[in-house]
Amino acid sequence: MTGTARDGSGTPAAPATAAKSASKSAAASASEAASAAAAIELRAATKRFRTPSGGVYTALRDLDLTVAPGEFCAVVGPTGCGKSTTLSLISGLERASAGRALVHGEPVTGIDPRVGFMFQTDAVFPWKSVLDNVAAGPQFRGAAKKEALSRARDWLRRVGLSGFEDRLPHQLSGGMRKRVALAQTLINEPEILLMDEPFSALDVQTRQIVQDELLALWELTRPAVVFVTHDLEEAIALADKVVVLTVGPGTVKDTFRVDLPRPRKVQEIRFQPRFVELYEQIWSSLRDEVRLAYARTAGDAPAPESAPVPAPATASGTPSPSTSASSSRNSSPTTADRAE
Amino acid sequence: MTDTHTGTASVPGAAPPSSGALAGTAEEAALIRGARARARRRRLLILLTQVALVAAVLGGWQLGASSGALDTFTYGSPDGVVKQLRTWFADGTSLGSIWHNIAVTMQETVLGFLIGTVSGVVLGIALGRIRALADVMAPFIKAANSIPRIVLGSMFIIWFGLGPSGKVALAVVLVFFSVFFNAFQGTREVDRNLIANARILGASEWRVTSHVVLPSAMTWIVASLHAAFGFALIGAIVGEMLGAQAGLGQLIAQAQGNFNADGVYAGTLLIAVLALIAEFVVTRFEKRVLRWRPAQSAGDGTGL
Ligand SMILES: Nc1ncnc2c1ncn2[C@@H]1O[C@H](COP(=O)(O)OP(=O)(O)O)[C@@H](O)[C@H]1O
Ligand SMILES: [Mg+2]
């Protein structure tokens, strides 16, 4: 299995190009400093699943992850590498088969009230009105109906959905539904916010708007965030730290600190030279994993060494948005189109 | 961005985006008017055909009966049925007033329907939610379901006598199984994401059941209610036919005993009317509880 061979590169100190090491050592020292009061910690977390045929499939192996309070951490990796599984371990929806999952230093034993989770697919309740959907959290937690509703109205205003209280989810656009889900999650004021490719179903323009809204809302309460995405551009634009996972069984390959200033505007930050630089660094780490994952699904056909990234990989590891010549590595025609 | 909250925000609770009929240029308006007129004409034509069909069957039956081609003793006749109904409503039946008989049957049916539905939903959801319970109960439920219901009718007469409780029991059994299997399946099919979301938001297991599982399984449950009311009616009528002091089933059974074909038809007609009313009520209920679902694609058949 290819995954076994890659085990060595899972350690954070894995040597790479000189350009990379600067940002990497910064990330390493930051995570060490934070570990005393980490909001989220996975220690050598391993997750195995029973397969229908009776075998065992290891989705995660010895995964270490630390997120400080108020830190925005993005997790990228090829499809099926265990990103969603990582979140389910932190949320308490699943238990680690080995290793530990800690939230604020305490082992996760079930669903923690301090955790909020935004799912990849729509998880708003289709039979509840927008208002009732947002009020669900406080109501489930025992708040009086009237108070829950007034707080929900407040949050709807914050996500720009005042006037849509009585609509049903299916009467909203995709972007509006995402904002309902965001309000529904944030109304509980989680200290830990887990997001599983929350915006992957949105078109590019809507996605950028919602990303900006997310950043603005995040600034309000500053929860620790683990944001799973397969879109590297999104990861860099939003996060303080980008974690690259290996192909399954997933483990941490590299960690990159994103030292772009805040507050950020998602649409504009992509054109900063530092963004492009980071993109190239992280992509060169992610690219191999994406290729390996693709090779597996394509029946182990080896990808040509220096050719442009194969099509499915391009889709999952969004091409560099930069117009500068330095990104000539990803010089597929779509790159040029997307930059406009 | 069409998506951002600008103009529309000032119209709270506005109707879901309509078919764009408002956009109309004159040309579009003409097109819509033409389509409407065509649809109206088509509906009228269908209605006329239906009336003609009924007239042909009833007229043929009546003609055959009065000309002697059809033996009225065996096959009855439309005017005989009307006469029978008039007698029942004006002078009452051998089992008391016709309204009393209708009331007895309806009472048994509705009671059986309610008890059967509630127990079917409760057990279906419980077994759907609790895996161990389902595994334990599965063989018993399969065994109980395999018993032909008509046998239970005789059993219930022995247990409950000729009063209404035996009929209610038979209706309950018939309704229960049809609702139970749907509620069970509906519970199994609930989107796991929705359950996970509710749990993360802080819902207890009970709240997950009442706020997520029940509304979600409702699509399945309601689908079974149409058939279930029919089953309840069957349960009550068959129970009455096997032995009762009153009720439409017993009325039909007596008419049959007296070789009164018109009486059998008249009783059947009354039951059909009751069933249609119930179907109407269930459909209204269905529309109400499933309001949240997106409109079915072009279900109204006005096909522009
Ligand atoms: N409940 C499960 N049972 C069996 N296998 C699972 C289960 N959940 C996930 N997996 C497997 O674990 C691997 C990682 O899944 P996931 O975390 O969903 O990946 P992704 O990175 O795409 O989110 C996949 O190969 C998937 O098939
Ligand atoms: Mg996933």
Side-chain angles (χ1 to χ4, degrees), chain B residues 1 10 14 41 47-48 53 58 61-62 74 125 128 148 157 190 203 222 224 248 267 275 281 290:
Chain B
M1 272 322 303
S10 56
R41 220 169 318 136
L47 191 70
L48 282 178
L53 210 62
L58 287 185
W61 183 12
Q62 181 62 53
T74 315
I125 289 182
I157 284 190
V190 176
V222 165
S224 73
L248 293 175
V281 172
L290 298 184

Side-chain angles (χ1 to χ4, degrees), chain A residues 78-85 87 120 196-197 228 230:
Chain A
T79 308
C81 74
K83 302 184 294 294
S84 301
T85 307
L87 293 187
Q120 177 171 11
D196 192 354
E197 307 193 21
V228 162
H230 58 242

Side-chain angles (χ1 to χ4, degrees), chain A residues 121 123 128 141 170 173 209, chain B residues 1 3 193 197 201 211 292:
Chain A
T121 52
K128 283 184 190 281
R141 291 171 181 217
H170 76 83
S173 71
I209 290 170
Chain B
M1 272 322 303
D3 192 14
N193 254 330
N197 192 23
L201 288 174
H211 281 252
W292 55 270

Side-chain angles (χ1 to χ4, degrees), chain A residues 258-320:
Chain A
V258 178
D259 46 8
L260 296 165
R262 292 189 190 273
R264 301 178 189 167
K265 275 261 164 252
V266 172
Q267 269 150 307
E268 289 151 25
I269 202 164
R270 302 178 294 147
F271 303 114
Q272 290 197 8
R274 179 64 185 144
F275 183 98
V276 177
E277 207 178 314
L278 280 165
Y279 189 99
E280 282 180 23
Q281 280 178 21
I282 304 176
W283 174 241
S284 71
S285 167
L286 179 60
R287 184 183 43 201
D288 302 337
E289 305 306 319
V290 169
R291 278 210 182 128
L292 268 170
Y294 177 67
R296 277 189 199 175
T297 57
D300 276 328
E305 199 33 55
S306 61
V309 186
T314 313
S316 58
T318 311
S320 167

Side-chain angles (χ1 to χ4, degrees), chain A residues 42-47 61-65 96 98-100:
Chain A
L42 291 177
R43 285 191 203 148
T46 297
K47 180 68 188 175
R61 174 171 322 137
D62 293 336
L63 184 122
D64 291 300
L65 179 74
R100 285 154 69 84

Side-chain angles (χ1 to χ4, degrees), chain B residues 19-42:
Chain B
S19 50
L22 305 169
T25 61
E27 209 175 307
E28 279 174 2
L31 201 74
I32 290 167
R33 227 177 309 117
R36 287 233 180 92
R38 266 200 308 283
R40 220 175 9 247
R41 220 169 318 136
R42 189 162 172 279

Side-chain angles (χ1 to χ4, degrees), chain A residues 111 115 117 119 121 123-128 137 139-141 160 163 167-168 170-171 173 175-176 179 184 188 206 209, chain B residues 1 3-5 8-9 12-14 16 193-194 196-203 207 211-212 215-216 291-294:
Chain A
I111 286 164
V115 171
F117 200 134
F119 294 83
T121 52
V124 293
F125 307 114
W127 46 83
K128 283 184 190 281
Q139 264 186 287
F140 288 158
R141 291 171 181 217
R167 295 276 187 104
L168 288 166
H170 76 83
Q171 298 167 337
S173 71
M176 288 158 101
R179 294 211 290 268
Q184 186 184 52
N188 281 335
T206 310
I209 290 170
Chain B
M1 272 322 303
D3 192 14
T4 33
H5 36 89
T8 26
N193 254 330
L194 292 182
N197 192 23
R199 288 177 61 203
I200 298 252
L201 288 174
R207 281 246 166 80
H211 281 252
V212 181
S216 178
R291 239 178 343 198
W292 55 270
R293 289 204 308 179

Side-chain angles (χ1 to χ4, degrees), chain A residues 66-214:
Chain A
T66 308
V67 182
E71 190 178 26
F72 199 124
C73 170
V75 174
V76 295
T79 308
C81 74
K83 302 184 294 294
S84 301
T85 307
T86 307
L87 293 187
S88 66
L89 294 188
I90 302 169
S91 67
L93 286 168
E94 299 270 4
R95 297 290 180 79
S97 315
R100 285 154 69 84
L102 306 172
V103 164
H104 286 300
E106 299 157 27
V108 175
T109 53
I111 286 164
D112 192 306
R114 292 169 295 187
V115 171
F117 200 134
M118 206 169 146
F119 294 83
Q120 177 171 11
T121 52
D122 262 345
V124 293
F125 307 114
W127 46 83
K128 283 184 190 281
S129 71
V130 166
L131 186 65
D132 288 338
N133 257 296
V134 178
Q139 264 186 287
F140 288 158
R141 291 171 181 217
K145 173 130 192 169
K146 227 174 130 184
E147 194 221 320
L149 290 182
S150 89
R151 277 175 62 195
R153 279 201 190 86
D154 235 39
W155 272 98
L156 281 176
R157 186 153 355 98
R158 264 176 239 180
V159 298
L161 285 177
S162 291
F164 293 90
E165 286 87 351
D166 299 328
R167 295 276 187 104
L168 288 166
H170 76 83
Q171 298 167 337
L172 302 178
S173 71
M176 288 158 101
R177 271 204 298 276
K178 283 298 170 197
R179 294 211 290 268
V180 174
L182 201 55
Q184 186 184 52
T185 300
L186 292 178
I187 194 172
N188 281 335
E189 293 176 6
E191 289 167 37
I192 285 169
L193 179 57
L194 308 175
M195 308 184 86
D196 192 354
E197 307 193 21
F199 307 140
S200 57
L202 299 178
D203 62 275
V204 180
Q205 285 87 357
T206 310
R207 191 187 309 168
Q208 288 171 348
I209 290 170
V210 184
Q211 283 166 349
D212 273 334
E213 286 174 349
L214 169 67

